[in-house]
């Protein structure tokens, strides 16, 4: 099982700040989600080479969890702190939820609007830094305004973790969550639990985790990205430690 931490060197098939991530009929997703890193899943499972999913950082929430204020737009694939996508044949990320799941610029809060602007601007600055230096640096709201170089990923592969994202909100109905001892993971303590997440009985595997603030002004302590190959489902949740 591939398991790497603090990934500071890009692997083949990894593309930071990718373009053309969303299907043409869902172009509005670019208003709500920042594409961080396209990952060829062959890096984790050779038989999946050519399937490239994109790690996404939501611009919202300003506070709380994504989706918690838009429950009327939840469905079997989306819920509070959970969003899912289908990886299309041409490696676009098709959202399996409703557009109303995101609040976006319609939020009636000056601080939230300032947060949205800050997220977009810090992402653009990080992109420009990468183009100039070939490395990732974030412009944290807690810093001095200067770029701080970061790892592209905190974790690549390994077991599905059991951070507080597992308990923050109920998993959407299309998926099931269970636990088992992580006996097959040499990186885990003997008594550690491992999360098992399935869709129609088929297991997801861990793709990557990274803090949103590795790339942007702020964000989740861990963006958790999972994949189920048969349905080509990319599932995200967010850890707020």
């Amino acid at each position: 099982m591939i398991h790497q931490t603090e990934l500071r060197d890009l692997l083949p098939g990894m593309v930071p700040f990718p373009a053309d991530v969303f299907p043409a009929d869902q172009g509005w997703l670019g208003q709500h989600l920042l594409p961080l890193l396209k990952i060829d899943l062959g890096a984790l499972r050779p038989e999946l080479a050519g399937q490239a999913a994109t790690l996404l950082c939501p611009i919202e929430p300003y506070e709380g969890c994504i989706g918690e204020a838009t429950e009327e737009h939840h469905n079997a694939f989306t819920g509070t702190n959970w969003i899912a996508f289908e990886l299309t044949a041409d490696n676009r990320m098709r959202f399996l939820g409703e557009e109303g799941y995101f609040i976006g610029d319609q939020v009636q809060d000056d601080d939230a609007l300032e947060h949205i602007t800050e997220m977009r601007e810090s992402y653009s600055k990080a992109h420009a830094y990468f183009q100039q230096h070939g490395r990732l640096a974030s412009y944290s709201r807690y810093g001095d305004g200067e770029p701080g170089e970061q790892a592209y990923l905190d974790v690549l592969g390994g077991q599905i973790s059991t951070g507080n994202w597992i308990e923050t909100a109920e998993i959407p109905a299309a998926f099931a969550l269970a636990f088992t001892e992580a006996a097959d993971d040499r990186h885990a303590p003997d008594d550690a639990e491992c999360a098992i997440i399935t869709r129609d009985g088929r297991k997801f595997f861990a793709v990557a985790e990274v803090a949103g603030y590795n790339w942007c002004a702020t964000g989740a302590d861990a963006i958790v990205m999972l994949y189920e190959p048969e349905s080509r489902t990319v599932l995200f949740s967010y850890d707020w430690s």
Side-chain angles (χ1 to χ4, degrees), residues 65 68 80-82 160-172 177-179 193-195 197 224 237-241:
C65 291
E68 70 178 356
T80 299
N81 211 45
W82 296 91
I160 296 176
S161 67
T162 52
N164 64 28
W165 62 277
I166 292 288
E167 303 173 347
T168 298
E170 186 175 356
I171 197 167
L177 170 64
F179 297 93
E193 278 193 327
C194 172
I197 296 177
V224 180
S237 190
Y238 306 92
D239 192 286
W240 302 91
S241 297

Side-chain angles (χ1 to χ4, degrees), residues 48 51 199-200 202-203 227-233:
L48 300 179
Q51 295 185 35
R199 177 179 178 183
D200 299 326
R202 300 186 294 267
K203 292 182 181 180
Y227 188 65
E228 195 290 296
E230 188 167 338
S231 62
R232 298 176 66 104
T233 305

Side-chain angles (χ1 to χ4, degrees), residues 39-61:
I39 303 170
D40 190 313
L41 299 168
L44 295 165
R45 296 191 176 183
E47 69 273 19
L48 300 179
Q51 295 185 35
T54 300
L55 183 65
L56 301 170
C57 179
I59 292 174
E60 57 192 79

Side-chain angles (χ1 to χ4, degrees), residues 138-167:
S138 69
Y139 290 77
S140 170
R141 68 168 53 161
Y142 307 108
D144 56 6
E146 296 299 315
E149 292 192 0
Q150 307 287 345
Y152 293 101
L153 296 174
D154 294 327
V155 182
L156 175 68
Q159 293 279 2
I160 296 176
S161 67
T162 52
N164 64 28
W165 62 277
I166 292 288
E167 303 173 347

Side-chain angles (χ1 to χ4, degrees), residues 7-146:
L7 188 73
R8 292 180 177 269
D9 296 312
L10 294 170
L11 300 181
M14 289 186 172
V15 180
F17 305 99
D20 301 323
V21 169
F22 306 114
D25 62 336
Q26 289 189 334
W28 48 267
L29 285 168
Q31 301 172 34
H32 309 290
L33 299 161
L34 300 172
L36 305 184
L37 184 68
K38 180 172 282 190
I39 303 170
D40 190 313
L41 299 168
L44 295 165
R45 296 191 176 183
E47 69 273 19
L48 300 179
Q51 295 185 35
T54 300
L55 183 65
L56 301 170
C57 179
I59 292 174
E60 57 192 79
Y62 164 62
E63 58 184 4
C65 291
I66 190 170
E68 70 178 356
T70 57
E71 290 185 351
E72 67 274 20
H73 294 285
H74 292 183
N75 65 13
F77 299 97
T78 60
T80 299
N81 211 45
W82 296 91
I83 56 176
F85 299 78
E86 176 193 353
L87 184 64
T88 66
D90 60 349
N91 290 328
R92 304 293 180 101
M93 300 285 284
R94 175 170 292 281
F95 185 49
L96 296 176
E98 303 174 9
E99 185 172 0
Y101 176 87
F102 300 99
I103 300 174
D105 295 333
Q106 299 179 55
V107 63
Q108 301 299 310
D109 183 296
D110 289 343
D111 289 333
L113 290 171
E114 183 178 346
H115 165 84
I116 290 169
T117 299
E118 183 183 30
M119 288 291 285
R120 290 173 176 160
E121 289 181 349
S122 63
Y123 175 83
S124 295
K125 288 179 180 179
H127 190 185
Y129 187 96
F130 175 79
Q131 290 177 315
Q132 183 175 358
H133 301 282
R135 297 184 297 276
L136 176 64
S138 69
Y139 290 77
S140 170
R141 68 168 53 161
Y142 307 108
D144 56 6
E146 296 299 315

